[in-house]
Amino acid sequence: MKHSTTNQRTRRGRGPARRIGRTLALVLPVVLVLSGTLAVTRVNWSGNPSNSVLTASEATSSDVSTRAVSRAPQDVLRDKLLLELQEKNPGVALTHLQEAMNGRPSLAKHCVSIARALGRAAVRAYGPTRAQSFARPVCDTAFASGVAATHF
């Protein structure tokens, strides 16, 4: 039996580009369906208007002016954690700070200033020794430095 090499052709399109294309053809629809499903779960389906967003026609002029003075997310988080520090304890506030940093990495650049503010508030509320006992490795040692800065 004779094997001829002159009539053999290489099959084009069987390389890595075709495999990548097939993988995308299978994975992309799944990703799109899942992202659509997640988007639908964020919609308020309960019919409770207290959590729903106002449309432009429903908003009054006082609502618009109130929303125009919206605060930065880091300021809202700082105030929430300071209130939590007063109502509960600094340990709970630091745990929620860490969760907020994990949940919204965009706030990470404000972590040190928020933790220092919590440290200063902890000294005012609990005294320097007890405030230091709540220290955690959140945002390096910013909480501890806030305690130390207020104490000394």
Side-chain angles (χ1 to χ4, degrees):
M1 177 174 261
K2 204 181 201 184
H3 292 285
S4 170
T5 58
T6 56
N7 288 337
Q8 288 182 349
R9 288 185 172 174
T10 59
R11 292 186 177 203
R12 296 186 184 265
R14 298 280 182 167
R18 184 169 182 146
R19 282 191 301 263
I20 291 171
R22 283 186 176 178
T23 303
L24 284 175
L26 291 172
V27 172
L28 194 58
V30 173
V31 170
L32 291 174
V33 167
L34 287 177
S35 64
T37 303
L38 292 174
V40 169
T41 61
R42 304 285 289 182
V43 174
N44 180 10
W45 295 102
S46 68
N48 185 0
S50 66
N51 293 332
S52 65
V53 177
L54 290 174
T55 61
S57 62
E58 295 172 339
T60 63
S61 62
S62 64
D63 291 337
V64 173
S65 64
T66 303
R67 280 186 282 155
V69 188
S70 65
R71 299 174 49 217
Q74 66 270 13
D75 295 335
V76 172
L77 178 63
R78 178 182 294 116
D79 291 346
K80 176 185 161 200
L81 293 174
L82 287 170
L83 181 64
E84 194 168 54
L85 181 137
Q86 292 171 357
E87 292 176 351
K88 296 178 184 171
N89 67 50
V92 174
L94 287 171
T95 299
H96 289 150
L97 174 62
Q98 184 64 49
E99 290 171 355
M101 293 302 120
N102 292 340
R104 292 187 65 185
S106 62
L107 291 174
K109 61 185 173 187
H110 304 287
C111 186
V112 171
S113 66
I114 294 172
R116 280 192 184 134
L118 289 173
R120 290 189 297 270
V123 169
R124 287 191 297 274
Y126 295 97
T129 306
R130 184 144 184 246
Q132 187 62 36
S133 70
F134 290 106
R136 302 231 177 104
V138 178
C139 309
D140 295 326
T141 57
F143 178 81
S145 68
V147 170
T150 305
H151 178 58
F152 296 113

